[in-house]
Amino acid sequence: MSAPKRPGIPAVTASPASPRGNEAESAAGLSPACGTGPEADQPQARTAPLQDDHDSPWKEALEIFFPQALELLVPNLHAELDRTAAPVFLDKELQAIALPGSKKGRRFVDKLAQVRLRGGVEAWLLIHVEVERRLRDRQALRLFAWRMHEYRYRIQARIMRQRGLALPPPVYSLGILLDNPGVGDHLVHTDEHHGQGVRFTFPVVELEGWRGRWDELESRAPGNPFAVVVMAQLQANRYRDKRMRLGPKFELVRSLRHYGYTPTTAGQIYRLIEWMITLPRDLEPEYLQAVNALSEEHKMTYVTLIEREGIKRGRVEGIKEGLTQGLTQGQADLLLRQIRRRFGAVDEAIDRRIRSARARDLETWSLNFVDAATLEDVFRG
């Protein structure tokens, strides 16, 4: 069943979330304001792109969906893990060995996880995500490879000192490049001189390489939510002009209903999409209206967290804009609709209590509603 038409986000038969080219998008009937049409592949012809924040969502995505990320991006490594042992993230350890000047003029994500391999062997996995920097030339690639080698050495040396080990522990390094096509599936650091040398090879995942495998991402999404994270990043890469993103972003959100996620997982994925595919402020009301309409179309058990995240986002932006009063009324209306759909009609006292509540209370009750078994559970705390 296709979604009802909304201003700027019409119902489609060919999803504009799919980056297959302009033919499919023209058939979808979307206007350029929705992120399709001839200008979609030429964002430089429009207003200058605004900077996205991709480091924060990638940090969260790797922690929430760590096994799923490895299963999708490095299946051979994933197969070696003992999946009964949860990874332990060592952010403080990584900060202690940070290379001098590593934060200047660059944006990236480093995650260090202690994992257990099959057979009970402990190992450490270093994941480095290049967020907003293309490795354009040979020197940049050599420097990147050297830094990965240096980090690996420092991690091993620190663990050996801490644990009194005679030999270095296994450390696996992985580079993830968000927008750097053409690098290949691995990089090599070499340092050889007068018969002495070091050679360090590590795998690299070029995310843009998944663009031609969009169908595979969609087919794997029901069993692996990290596939949606990759789709969101690919759409953010493609539509650098944020005014082109409305349609693709909504279609990606709308596709979530097909994947069978739990409400918690759906909410986590929705939040990551919000982070990765940002819109100009003047398009936000139209987008939120479409999301609310989508929520009303489908079962509340699925869309509750999507609505909740919309409320939280709207509340923060409303405060910044001095629109707290109107936003609070919108929160109250939405919460009442949720309650009536799950628990039936409410009496005048409940209606009055919700409509006169503070924004903080409304947000608490909206969060409670996610797991509430009775109407009384909504108002706990």
Side-chain angles (χ1 to χ4, degrees):
M1 177 179 178
S2 60
K5 289 190 176 182
R6 293 284 164 187
I9 311 182
V12 297
T13 55
S15 169
S18 174
R20 296 187 181 89
N22 293 331
E23 291 88 354
E25 291 166 344
S26 297
L30 294 182
S31 66
C34 296
T36 60
E39 294 176 82
D41 289 326
Q42 297 176 343
Q44 66 273 17
R46 298 177 61 87
T47 55
L50 301 176
Q51 190 177 55
D52 289 313
D53 172 19
H54 290 311
D55 49 354
S56 298
W58 270 87
K59 287 176 183 177
E60 180 161 334
L62 287 172
E63 290 199 7
I64 296 175
F65 301 117
F66 182 78
Q68 296 92 331
L70 297 186
E71 181 184 24
L72 182 71
L73 302 180
V74 280
N76 292 341
L77 178 58
H78 178 260
E80 296 183 26
L81 299 183
D82 179 351
R83 300 172 199 176
T84 66
V88 178
F89 292 99
L90 305 172
D91 291 346
K92 291 184 179 179
E93 295 290 322
L94 201 54
Q95 292 172 5
I97 62 169
L99 296 175
S102 60
K103 296 297 183 181
K104 294 181 180 179
R106 299 182 57 193
R107 298 187 65 189
F108 52 82
V109 174
D110 282 324
K111 299 300 293 184
L112 178 63
Q114 181 179 336
V115 298
R116 190 166 67 199
L117 305 180
R118 291 183 176 183
V121 177
E122 282 188 323
W124 286 260
L125 174 59
L126 171 66
I127 302 178
H128 178 98
V129 184
E130 281 287 336
V131 176
E132 289 185 356
R133 184 192 185 207
R134 289 196 176 194
L135 306 177
R136 297 182 181 278
D137 54 40
R138 193 175 189 86
Q139 182 175 347
L141 290 172
R142 290 182 61 185
L143 179 60
F144 176 53
W146 173 82
R147 296 179 73 85
M148 292 293 284
H149 170 263
E150 180 72 2
Y151 266 116
R152 182 174 184 269
Y153 165 76
R154 290 183 177 221
I155 291 169
Q156 289 178 320
R158 184 175 179 84
I159 295 172
M160 289 177 69
R161 288 195 301 269
Q162 290 178 335
R163 303 198 173 194
L165 301 178
L167 293 173
V171 174
Y172 296 84
S173 302
L174 171 66
I176 300 177
L177 307 179
L178 299 193
D179 189 10
N180 207 107
V183 171
D185 60 3
H186 70 278
L187 288 174
V188 180
H189 164 67
T190 58
D191 183 5
E192 299 178 350
H193 189 63
H194 286 291
Q196 303 179 38
V198 172
R199 180 181 177 88
F200 170 57
T201 304
F202 64 98
V204 172
V205 175
E206 298 176 87
L207 225 61
E208 280 294 321
W210 281 90
R211 188 173 298 284
R213 302 166 65 184
W214 189 270
D215 287 342
E216 181 181 347
L217 289 172
E218 290 183 323
S219 67
R220 297 186 64 172
N224 190 330
F226 200 81
V228 183
V229 175
V230 174
M231 287 191 280
Q233 183 64 59
L234 290 176
Q235 293 298 67
N237 287 356
R238 184 181 188 192
Y239 300 106
R240 297 188 182 279
D241 182 348
K242 296 187 179 184
R243 303 200 65 81
M244 307 293 288
R245 294 177 171 181
L246 182 58
K249 179 176 182 178
F250 176 72
E251 285 301 314
L252 192 57
V253 169
R254 188 162 69 174
S255 70
L256 294 181
R257 74 190 193 276
H258 298 304
Y259 297 147
Y261 298 144
T262 65
T264 298
T265 300
Q268 291 168 332
I269 288 292
Y270 179 81
R271 182 170 61 251
L272 293 170
I273 292 174
E274 288 297 290
W275 247 337
M276 288 181 169
I277 311 177
T278 56
L279 296 172
R281 285 189 178 183
D282 63 314
L283 293 183
E284 286 288 336
E286 186 176 349
Y287 168 73
L288 293 177
Q289 179 188 5
V291 172
N292 286 335
L294 179 66
S295 300
E296 293 174 1
E297 272 189 72
H298 302 281
K299 294 181 179 180
M300 183 57 62
T301 53
Y302 173 78
V303 300
T304 296
L305 282 183
I306 289 181
E307 291 184 340
R308 184 196 77 181
E309 292 300 330
I311 292 170
K312 289 169 66 179
R313 251 174 75 261
R315 179 172 178 267
V316 171
E317 292 183 0
I319 291 173
K320 289 180 179 179
E321 295 295 325
L323 300 176
T324 306
Q325 181 177 358
L327 181 58
T328 300
Q329 184 60 50
Q331 288 177 293
D333 290 341
L334 184 55
L335 180 58
L336 281 168
R337 291 202 307 272
Q338 292 175 323
I339 288 174
R340 291 186 185 117
R341 180 173 294 188
R342 181 178 294 183
F343 301 114
V346 298
D347 58 31
E348 185 177 344
I350 294 294
D351 186 284
R352 185 167 54 250
R353 180 181 183 184
I354 292 175
R355 293 190 183 282
S356 62
R358 298 173 302 174
R360 180 179 301 177
D361 292 331
L362 287 171
E363 182 171 337
T364 298
W365 297 341
S366 296
L367 296 175
N368 290 346
F369 178 82
V370 173
D371 303 311
T374 66
L375 181 59
E376 289 73 22
D377 291 341
V378 174
F379 301 101
R380 68 181 183 268

